[in-house]
Amino acid sequence: MPKGWPMDGEQDCRTVEIEALAEAGVEDTVSRKPIGEFENAKTFNDGTSVQVKATVYPLYIDKVKRRWKERHERKRRWFSPKGTAKALKQPGLEDLLLDLKNNPRKNRSLLAIAAA
């Protein structure tokens, strides 16, 4: 699940597009409306951590690239919402994704992307 820090001068939904391309090699259409938020501890390489609030935006993948910027640092894998939640081990995200899986029509952001 591509993640990143806010970027100066960019809307959060645009940051999602940039991160998805760099981290997973996917070109996509991202909703401007988030599907939710969750909090978790971001741990740095030096072992320190900080509590952060992450905003989650749905995206529709238009193209999957064979080569992408971080391909030597990351392995691209596909998961179901439940599998994503378990792999990332972030309880707040797990709740958000399981709710999305169980109630997909409840989220207007996803309906807007599906209709596009």
Side-chain angles (χ1 to χ4, degrees), residues 40-58:
N40 73 305
K42 170 74 174 172
T43 304
F44 300 97
N45 291 338
D46 66 2
T48 62
S49 65
V50 62
Q51 194 71 13
V52 297
K53 182 184 284 187
T55 304
V56 180
Y57 291 86

Side-chain angles (χ1 to χ4, degrees), residues 7 9 13 22 38 40 43 49 57 64 68 73 79 81-82 95 110:
M7 296 179 183
C13 58
F38 70 99
N40 73 305
T43 304
S49 65
Y57 291 86
V64 177
W68 68 94
E73 302 166 44
F79 292 92
K82 184 177 182 179
D95 293 342
L110 293 178

Side-chain angles (χ1 to χ4, degrees), residues 14-51:
R14 174 69 180 128
T15 300
V16 171
E17 292 174 342
I18 293 167
E19 292 295 327
L21 181 58
E23 294 183 3
V26 295
E27 293 180 1
D28 50 52
T29 302
V30 177
S31 172
R32 291 179 182 255
K33 183 178 179 188
I35 58 173
E37 296 177 332
F38 70 99
E39 291 189 20
N40 73 305
K42 170 74 174 172
T43 304
F44 300 97
N45 291 338
D46 66 2
T48 62
S49 65
V50 62
Q51 194 71 13

